[in-house]
């Protein structure tokens, strides 16, 4: 008997549906060829759900997520819904709500550049030729994203608050150390401890956790310096541990230097390994519907789902190496093509990755 897993699929807005279609092709292969079944059920989310139900996260969608082993998320948002009050906008009302609702505190964003693929990176050749393999761990349910905030229009005054309880830092830091054990055993923890109180607590707590992991080399870096060091010498980094806001910023930088935001997958996981898996790049409405978006971030998000929520490392590795083969063999979507020439479509990239996956089975 094949083991069955329920996956809630939430394609969302912009390029979400077209890149999700490529992930579905991979799912079909898995269901046919491997001893597991990913039982997908699709739900509305984001702007499209606002248009249909006046609610970015309908009840059915939440219920569907609750019944699932994991959520495969596309992307949400777009200009069409930007006039709405912030609480109703797709980003806040669906994505941030789901992160909080399911306590998805651990966000993993891997970004890799193979040295043979150095030309994908916008960095200078002598830097990109060294390649890099960075895992950005971002705290996802606390900090300034969820702190007290106000916008008083009459006074033209607004504030947001950054706040952390020690426990919130402990749980994400522990996961970062555990992940570092499986890698090069180096963590750089990011803060602004020369200015911010939350950062002082962050640094102190991470130092305390590190005592239990003597084999891991921990260092601390201010966020401003980190943005600089990442473009000067990304190969020096292994695991980067960040608060919610700093991780948001650094993970985009990591994605860009590895070639394109269209290649960055993301896993958001809770204590029970339930997770939401999404491309980190957003809905990119300006290129939606043109069959030019890069589906790699969505396909790698599926692979992360299989790795972390289902625990099947073998299948996840096969998907990852199929993506790598496509890139090494010079198949590129528009965003990663040199001079925007000789690129293949979203559909074709999906098909080629499927072909390489089938070859491996
Ligand atoms: C991300 C995105 C989100 C965030 C937005 C869409 C709310 O930028 O996942 O990085 O800021 O966390
Ligand atoms: Mn972001």
């Amino acid at each position: 008997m094949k083991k069955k897993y329920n996956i809630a699929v939430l394609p969302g807005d912009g390029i979400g549906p077209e890149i999700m279609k490529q992930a579905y092709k991979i799912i079909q292969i898995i269901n046919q060829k491997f001893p597991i079944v990913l039982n997908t059920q699709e739900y509305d989310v984001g702007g499209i759900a606002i248009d249909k139900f006046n609610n970015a996260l309908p009840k059915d969608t939440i219920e569907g997520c609750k019944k699932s082993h994991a959520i495969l998320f596309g992307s949400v948002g777009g200009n069409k819904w930007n006039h709405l009050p912030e609480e109703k906008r797709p980003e806040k009302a669906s994505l941030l709500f789901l992160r909080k609702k399911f306590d998805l505190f651990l966000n993993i964003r891997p970004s890799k550049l193979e040295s043979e693929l150095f030309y994908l990176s916008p960095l200078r050749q002598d830097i990109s030729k060294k390649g890099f393999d960075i895992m950005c761990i971002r705290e996802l349910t606390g900090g300034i994203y969820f702190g007290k905030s106000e916008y008083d229009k009459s006074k033209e005054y607004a504030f947001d608050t950054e706040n952390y309880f020690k426990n919130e830092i402990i749980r994400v830091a522990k996961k970062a150390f555990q992940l570092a054990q499986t890698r090069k055993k180096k963590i750089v923890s990011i803060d602004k401890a020369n200015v911010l109180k939350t950062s002082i607590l962050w640094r102190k707590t991470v130092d305390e956790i590190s005592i239990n992991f003597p084999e891991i080399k921990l260092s601390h870096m201010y966020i401003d310096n980190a943005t600089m060091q990442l473009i000067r010498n990304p190969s020096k980094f292994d695991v980067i541990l960040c608060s919610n806001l700093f991780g948001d910023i650094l993970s985009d930088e990591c994605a860009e230097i590895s070639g394109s935001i269209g290649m960055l997958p993301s896993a958001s996981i809770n204590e029970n390994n339930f997770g939401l898996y999404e491309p980190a790049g957003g809905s990119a409405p300006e290129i939606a519907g043109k069959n030019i978006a890069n589906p790699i971030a969505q396909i790698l998000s599926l692979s992360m789902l299989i790795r972390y929520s289902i625990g099947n490392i073998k299948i996840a590795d096969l998907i990852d190496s199929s993506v790598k083969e496509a890139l090494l063999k010079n198949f590129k979507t528009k965003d990663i093509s040199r001079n925007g020439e000789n690129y293949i479509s979203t559909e074709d990239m999906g098909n080629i990755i499927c072909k390489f996956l089938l070859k491996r089975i």
Side-chain angles (χ1 to χ4, degrees):
M1 264 290 271
K2 287 194 178 204
K3 187 139 196 233
K4 277 196 183 151
Y5 298 91
N6 293 331
I7 309 297
V9 179
L10 281 52
D13 308 317
I15 58 170
E18 56 195 289
I19 55 175
M20 190 64 85
K21 202 170 147 204
Q22 311 315 311
Y24 270 125
K25 292 178 184 167
I26 305 274
I27 291 176
Q28 214 178 357
I29 296 178
I30 293 170
N31 288 351
Q32 281 165 4
K33 306 277 180 186
F34 290 104
I36 62 169
V37 173
L38 304 181
N39 211 345
T40 58
Q41 179 72 48
E42 210 168 291
Y43 299 94
D44 289 313
V45 75
I48 186 179
I50 294 179
D51 291 350
K52 278 195 196 167
F53 312 107
N54 195 25
N55 180 355
L57 192 66
K59 210 162 169 247
D60 271 3
T61 305
I62 302 182
E63 289 307 312
C65 292
K66 279 190 196 157
K67 282 189 297 200
S68 305
H69 291 90
I71 306 167
L72 188 61
F73 197 92
S75 50
V76 291
N79 277 337
K80 192 175 169 196
W81 304 283
N82 281 350
H83 66 281
L84 293 170
E86 179 213 344
E87 298 71 46
K88 293 217 142 194
R89 272 192 219 163
E91 294 85 342
K92 209 159 192 176
S94 62
L95 188 56
L96 296 189
F97 183 93
L98 283 170
R99 288 177 183 171
K100 196 73 178 171
K101 165 98 191 150
F102 291 104
D103 201 20
L104 309 173
F105 66 92
L106 170 66
N107 184 224
I108 308 176
R109 296 186 167 184
S111 76
K112 234 186 201 180
L113 181 70
E114 305 290 340
S115 45
E116 306 99 292
L117 293 169
F118 72 92
Y119 53 84
L120 293 180
S121 173
L123 294 177
R124 220 172 52 210
Q125 269 191 33
D126 57 315
I127 300 171
S128 56
K129 277 196 165 154
K130 290 185 199 152
F132 58 83
D133 181 355
I134 301 173
M135 185 163 267
C136 184
I137 305 292
R138 169 184 175 194
E139 196 291 323
L140 203 63
T141 48
I144 200 162
Y145 271 63
F146 297 97
K148 195 163 176 264
S149 67
E150 198 184 308
Y151 184 5
D152 187 330
K153 283 205 177 118
S154 64
K155 289 193 199 134
E156 296 203 306
Y157 166 74
F159 68 83
D160 298 279
T161 33
E162 168 89 348
N163 61 84
Y164 270 111
F165 281 104
K166 188 168 185 175
N167 272 340
E168 295 175 288
I169 306 170
I170 291 176
R171 63 180 185 172
V172 73
K174 269 191 186 157
K175 295 283 182 186
F177 278 93
Q178 283 159 4
L179 278 164
Q181 280 175 325
T182 67
R183 300 171 51 95
K184 283 181 255 154
K185 302 189 167 50
K186 271 197 319 200
I187 297 187
V188 178
S189 174
I190 307 298
D191 62 45
K192 187 71 186 169
N194 49 348
V195 180
L196 303 176
K197 300 264 193 303
T198 40
S199 282
I200 296 171
L201 177 65
W202 184 277
R203 192 177 277 223
K204 176 173 168 274
T205 308
V206 175
D207 272 334
E208 284 169 17
I209 298 292
S210 75
I211 295 168
N212 305 320
F213 297 89
E215 71 284 16
I216 308 283
K217 189 175 170 295
L218 168 70
S219 57
H220 301 278
M221 200 179 273
Y222 296 140
I223 174 69
D224 47 351
N225 186 23
T227 59
M228 207 164 72
Q229 298 307 329
L230 269 172
I231 51 171
R232 282 174 71 110
N233 205 346
S235 66
K236 281 215 164 137
F237 289 87
D238 178 21
V239 173
I240 301 182
L241 171 61
C242 311
S243 65
N244 204 343
L245 181 63
F246 294 161
D248 179 46
I249 297 166
L250 286 192
S251 60
D252 268 20
E253 186 179 1
C254 288
E256 183 56 29
I257 61 174
S258 74
S260 160
I261 187 93
M263 296 207 287
L264 181 70
S266 161
S268 309
I269 306 172
N270 70 17
E271 209 61 78
N272 308 316
N273 292 333
F274 175 84
L276 180 152
Y277 298 82
E278 53 164 336
S283 62
E286 60 296 346
I287 60 163
K290 294 186 177 159
N291 198 18
I292 55 171
N294 192 337
I296 289 182
Q298 189 74 66
I299 290 172
L300 292 178
S301 296
L302 170 65
S303 133
M304 290 187 94
L305 182 155
I306 294 168
R307 184 181 304 279
Y308 294 110
S309 280
I310 292 179
N312 196 317
I313 291 161
K314 187 181 149 217
I315 300 178
D317 282 346
L318 287 173
I319 299 173
D320 292 356
S321 57
S322 307
V323 169
K324 187 169 155 188
E325 181 171 356
L327 291 170
L328 287 172
K329 294 207 166 135
N330 231 3
F331 292 104
K332 291 185 222 118
T333 40
K334 189 170 182 198
D335 54 323
I336 48 174
S337 67
R338 264 198 261 208
N339 316 319
E341 282 165 12
N342 297 328
Y343 57 84
I344 61 169
S345 67
T346 308
E347 287 277 354
D348 285 345
M349 184 59 113
N351 294 341
I352 276 156
I353 295 168
C354 286
K355 187 176 129 191
F356 292 145
L357 178 59
L358 279 167
K359 198 182 70 180
R360 286 175 157 70
I361 299 167

